[in-house]
Amino acid sequence: MVENRPITKIGAHLIMIFGVLAIMFPVWMMLVAASHDNARLLITPLPLLPGDQLWDNLMRLWEGNYSGPPVFRAMFNSLVMALGITIGKIIICLMSAYAIVYFRFPLRSFFFWLIFITLMLPVEVRIVPTFEVVASMNLLNSYAGLILPLIASATATFLFRQTFLTIPEEMLEAARIDGAGPIRFFFDILIPLSRTNIAALFVILFIYGWNQYLWPLIITTEGDMSTIVMSIKNMLSGIEQLPQWNIVMLVALLGMLPPTLVVILMQKAFVKGLTETEK
């Protein structure tokens, strides 16, 4: 039973507002720091209101007038990596779930649980043999090397399998009577019915790929192949001078934009894909 008293509503809204403020405060401070010059940020107390240097700092970043790695190149690398991981995972997991659910072959359940067990083997656990394989294939400092080792997902395979299991058997029989083969059934029926799940997974996997740090750090040695997360870390580890905090905070803000845009643009499909159960 849900109580509908005014005091309960006010308390719930106060807690929600406090939570939002607590979450947004670091983002606000990033914006404030990005809008001042670096000298102001070295003086206490730190400013709590935005300054007038945001555009100038952005121009310095665009023109490369700062000490640090090329940021916009790093954002492009992160975008390629995130999209490659996301699209690759969705395609592979759709096909593997389709094979597990709709094709009869020996040891079908065994192969599914074999895929599922890989949840216990994230890239951090198998990083040494994975690096050796990638190096032996001459994929270091390449987009293929960034993407391929992270492209399979047991979680997405499991989610698509559960989605396909909810599709009525009568629909498969109707497709057969209509003359649809396996490929037509896959593209004309399964993919449209799974579009909300695909959208939800796209959001999750894009953020996963965008935030990758350890794997790009290991297999890339050239500055042109750095990702945005690596660039922020490199800007903080200057050897001879203090970090330019205004530029670092501006880069962090820019690095948040693509995942934020993906979440905002796909919010409705994301929620629907996680909550929809009936087909």
Side-chain angles (χ1 to χ4, degrees):
M1 180 178 178
V2 179
E3 295 186 4
N4 195 21
R5 300 177 183 175
I7 188 66
T8 306
K9 286 185 176 179
I10 293 174
H13 279 81
L14 287 177
I15 293 173
M16 184 177 65
I17 292 172
F18 177 76
V20 171
L21 292 177
I23 293 172
M24 292 303 298
F25 183 71
V27 180
W28 173 256
M29 290 308 298
M30 288 167 60
L31 177 62
V32 170
S35 60
H36 287 273
D37 56 44
N38 199 45
R40 176 64 186 89
L41 301 179
L42 299 178
I43 301 173
T44 54
L46 291 174
L48 295 177
L49 296 176
D52 58 356
Q53 299 294 312
L54 181 62
W55 181 254
D56 292 338
N57 292 336
L58 189 60
M59 287 296 100
R60 285 181 59 193
L61 202 62
W62 177 259
E63 296 168 356
N65 186 21
Y66 65 98
S67 59
V71 171
F72 291 101
R73 171 73 185 187
M75 289 190 69
F76 175 77
N77 293 338
S78 289
L79 184 64
V80 172
M81 182 180 178
L83 288 177
I85 291 173
T86 303
I87 296 173
K89 274 179 181 283
I90 289 175
I91 292 175
I92 291 175
C93 296
L94 272 171
M95 292 191 296
S96 58
Y98 178 49
I100 290 170
V101 174
Y102 289 100
F103 288 82
R104 302 290 182 267
F105 54 89
L107 302 177
R108 184 177 57 152
S109 297
F110 170 76
F111 285 118
F112 168 70
W113 287 110
L114 196 62
I115 295 172
F116 197 75
I117 288 173
T118 60
L119 281 174
M120 294 183 288
L121 297 172
V123 69
E124 290 81 3
V125 175
R126 51 183 167 84
I127 201 158
V128 173
T130 304
F131 176 81
E132 290 183 354
V133 172
V134 171
S136 66
M137 297 173 68
N138 295 320
L139 294 180
L140 299 180
N141 293 308
S142 68
Y143 291 124
L146 285 170
I147 295 170
L148 290 179
L150 305 176
I151 208 170
S153 171
T155 306
T157 303
F158 176 75
L159 291 177
F160 283 128
R161 173 184 176 270
Q162 298 306 108
T163 300
F164 293 164
L165 289 176
T166 64
I167 295 175
E169 189 71 20
E170 292 80 5
M171 193 171 291
L172 175 62
E173 295 298 328
R176 284 175 177 166
I177 294 172
D178 197 39
I183 295 178
R184 184 181 168 191
F185 178 72
F186 180 70
F187 284 103
D188 290 353
I189 297 179
L190 288 185
I191 297 296
L193 289 175
S194 306
R195 60 182 183 277
T196 54
N197 304 91
I198 293 174
L201 277 172
F202 184 93
V203 175
I204 296 171
L205 296 177
F206 183 86
I207 296 174
Y208 165 81
W210 184 269
N211 290 334
Q212 283 297 312
Y213 173 67
L214 181 59
W215 180 246
L217 181 67
I218 289 176
I219 74 153
T220 58
T221 56
E222 299 176 358
D224 286 345
M225 291 303 297
S226 293
T227 62
I228 189 64
V229 180
M230 292 172 60
S231 296
I232 295 172
K233 173 63 174 64
N234 292 336
M235 294 177 77
L236 293 173
S237 57
I239 300 176
E240 298 179 352
Q241 59 183 358
L242 291 174
Q244 302 175 70
W245 288 108
N246 54 341
I247 301 298
V248 173
M249 292 297 113
L250 182 57
V251 173
L253 276 178
L254 293 176
M256 290 175 57
L257 287 181
T260 305
L261 286 175
V262 169
V263 172
I264 292 174
L265 295 177
M266 302 184 68
Q267 182 182 12
K268 186 178 293 184
F270 176 69
V271 174
K272 194 174 181 181
L274 293 180
T275 57
E276 188 178 59
T277 56
E278 296 183 358
K279 299 294 178 187

